[in-house]
Amino acid sequence: MKTQVAIVGAGPAGLMLGHLLRAEGIACVVVERQDPDYVLSRIRAGVLEQVTVGIMARLGLDARLRREGLVEAGFNLADGERLIRIDVQDLTGQTVVVYGQTEIQRDLMDAAPERGLEVVWEAADVALHDIESEAPRLTYTKDGVAHEITARFIVGCDGYHGPSRQAIPASVGRSFERVYPFGWLGILADVPPCHDELIYANHERGFALASMRSHTRSRYYVDVPLTEKVEDWSDERIWDELAVRLGPEAAANMTRGPAIEKSIAPLRSFVFEPMRHGSLLLCGDAAHIVPPTGAKGLNLAASDVHYAAEALTAWFRRHDADAVAGYSEKALARVWKSERFSWSLTKLMHRFPEDGPFERRMQVAELDYIATSRAAQQGIAENYVGLPV
């Protein structure tokens, strides 16, 4: 098979990019190693910046998002005793939308056949070849049969563990990483949220987050040591811990219910440079990971896709090589700013094992400063709604 762009990975980043390229008349094929049900079953982010909402609107795939998404004008930081509200809309003139990544995935998948976006599911042994040439190749097997796709560009949207980043020579790439000494224990339950906005809590017992997916479905987290096991946390134990860490106001409005999903996710900050080598571009988790504090993962992937679609469209429409050449630098500038925000919010709201009384006093002072300073709140709000692309 020959095409103009071969995309590795059919998560939100890969499908968003595929839809944007097809809308410009650019031929592309998406190759995914998992089956559709597995991809849809992954529980991920739920807070969308305007860049992500804007891409879905541009594609004309935002009808359900507009109908079911919850528009959020602010969020809260809790310090154990009070809620510090960050009025995002007042401070920036913008809002965010709560709409689960699973729902974005479903919207993109459902539209693929009618939009002419070809997706190869359950492709095994995916490998990239000749990425430094002008005719890179993608090989895979499906149902025991070997296949090869020749393209002008390959875009890796295949996540942290995918083969795309591995195809860049070690002499070219450089990784930056911070692994955090805790994970997030998450519970998803069909209960109404305890608050109409997100709450990030810093309590002496640890971090907690109250989030939601809809008016009837809630997502909660507490941080736990990496040695903890999900099976040691009964539903009752999680709800009790959340009630303590989120504070009395949230606890009073919390509705308990059975978990429909429960898991522990490790946290890391990771950036790989460059995000382009030869005819290969990287988008999303293939190039960077952020801790979920601040809800930047999916949104950062969407901004990568925005830049990649711009660059590839310029190439195929106008033979503009500069846009592709500049993709990595442009994308990384936004990546590092988002990494900084996620790292700083993680540092502010979590207790690190190496921290002592001094570090705790710094957290208290920072939260108190945020509570009393519009300037501090504005900086947080600007990053939370998403920096310009």
Side-chain angles (χ1 to χ4, degrees):
M1 181 189 298
K2 289 187 177 180
T3 191
Q4 291 175 300
V5 180
I7 300 170
V8 188
L15 292 185
M16 268 186 195
L17 179 60
H19 278 294
L20 286 171
L21 295 178
R22 291 299 300 128
E24 295 292 338
I26 298 169
C28 58
V29 179
V30 184
V31 177
E32 167 60 50
R33 69 184 182 93
Q34 302 289 356
D35 63 68
D37 289 340
Y38 177 89
V39 174
L40 272 175
S41 71
R42 295 183 292 205
I43 304 297
R44 293 290 189 271
V47 179
L48 307 182
E49 296 176 2
Q50 289 304 314
V51 63
T52 310
V53 174
I55 288 176
M56 296 299 286
R58 176 180 163 188
L59 292 171
L61 299 177
D62 63 333
R64 199 160 66 93
L65 190 158
R66 286 186 285 108
R67 186 172 64 249
E68 300 177 12
L70 306 179
V71 177
E72 297 279 293
F75 70 100
N76 302 272
L77 302 176
D79 62 1
E81 298 179 357
R82 59 181 170 174
L83 291 182
I84 304 167
R85 183 169 187 263
I86 309 298
D87 191 332
V88 168
Q89 188 169 35
D90 175 60
L91 292 161
T92 69
Q94 299 183 61
T95 57
V96 296
V97 179
V98 172
Y99 187 70
Q101 180 171 320
T102 301
E103 307 311 317
I104 289 278
Q105 181 76 41
R106 190 184 307 278
D107 294 338
L108 293 166
M109 285 172 59
D110 287 350
E114 66 188 58
R115 300 288 180 93
L117 177 59
E118 182 177 356
V119 183
V120 179
W121 300 98
E122 298 179 85
D125 305 316
V126 176
L128 289 72
H129 313 271
D130 304 327
I131 63 169
E132 294 173 338
S133 75
E134 294 187 355
R137 296 177 297 116
L138 194 65
T139 59
Y140 65 94
T141 59
K142 183 172 173 63
D143 300 324
V145 179
H147 297 265
E148 180 176 281
I149 301 173
T150 302
R152 177 58 189 88
F153 291 99
I154 296 176
V155 184
C157 303
D158 48 345
Y160 181 79
H161 298 288
S164 295
R165 187 178 71 254
Q166 312 302 326
I168 296 178
S171 59
V172 172
R174 185 180 181 190
S175 297
F176 304 84
E177 186 172 34
R178 168 71 190 270
V179 177
Y180 295 92
F182 41 72
W184 276 17
L185 170 62
I187 182 173
L188 187 69
D190 280 330
V191 295
C194 68
H195 197 281
D196 57 3
E197 295 176 341
L198 274 71
I199 301 174
Y200 294 84
N202 179 329
H203 188 271
E204 63 181 9
R205 291 179 63 88
F207 169 83
L209 170 62
S211 182
M212 72 288 286
R213 292 296 178 266
S214 70
H215 290 299
T216 58
R217 177 168 288 187
S218 298
R219 182 71 162 161
Y220 289 94
Y221 297 94
V222 293
D223 74 325
V224 296
L226 292 174
T227 53
E228 291 288 310
K229 293 180 172 51
V230 173
E231 51 267 30
D232 294 333
W233 285 82
S234 65
D235 290 1
E236 183 179 13
R237 183 184 177 191
I238 295 176
W239 289 118
D240 287 345
E241 194 66 25
L242 284 163
V244 172
R245 295 191 191 187
L246 288 170
E249 184 177 337
N253 295 298
M254 184 184 295
T255 302
R256 301 184 179 211
I260 57 177
E261 193 272 344
K262 199 188 301 182
S263 59
I264 296 177
L267 271 64
R268 63 157 45 89
S269 295
F270 172 82
V271 179
F272 180 85
E273 298 181 354
M275 288 176 61
R276 180 195 72 88
H277 179 65
S279 295
L280 170 65
L281 286 69
L282 302 178
C283 287
D285 289 359
H288 45 74
I289 301 286
V290 289
T293 329
K296 293 299 161 200
L298 172 60
N299 296 302
L300 204 49
S303 68
D304 291 347
V305 165
H306 169 82
Y307 294 134
E310 263 190 352
L312 293 169
T313 300
W315 172 275
F316 288 109
R317 289 255 188 235
R318 304 185 299 275
H319 302 290
D320 180 357
D322 291 342
V324 171
Y327 164 73
S328 179
E329 183 179 359
K330 182 180 284 190
L332 281 168
R334 196 174 191 274
V335 165
W336 277 113
K337 292 183 182 72
S338 294
E339 290 278 357
R340 183 207 66 82
F341 176 67
S342 298
W343 168 81
S344 63
L345 195 57
T346 301
K347 189 70 174 170
L348 174 65
M349 302 306 293
H350 292 74
R351 307 294 177 92
F352 286 72
E354 67 271 21
D355 288 351
F358 177 83
E359 286 78 13
R360 177 56 188 154
R361 291 285 185 163
M362 289 298 98
Q363 287 183 329
V364 171
E366 180 70 11
L367 285 165
D368 195 48
Y369 173 59
I370 292 168
T372 56
S373 169
R374 182 178 175 87
Q377 292 181 14
Q378 187 162 15
I380 293 173
E382 286 177 351
N383 282 272
Y384 190 75
V385 299
L387 298 173
V389 292

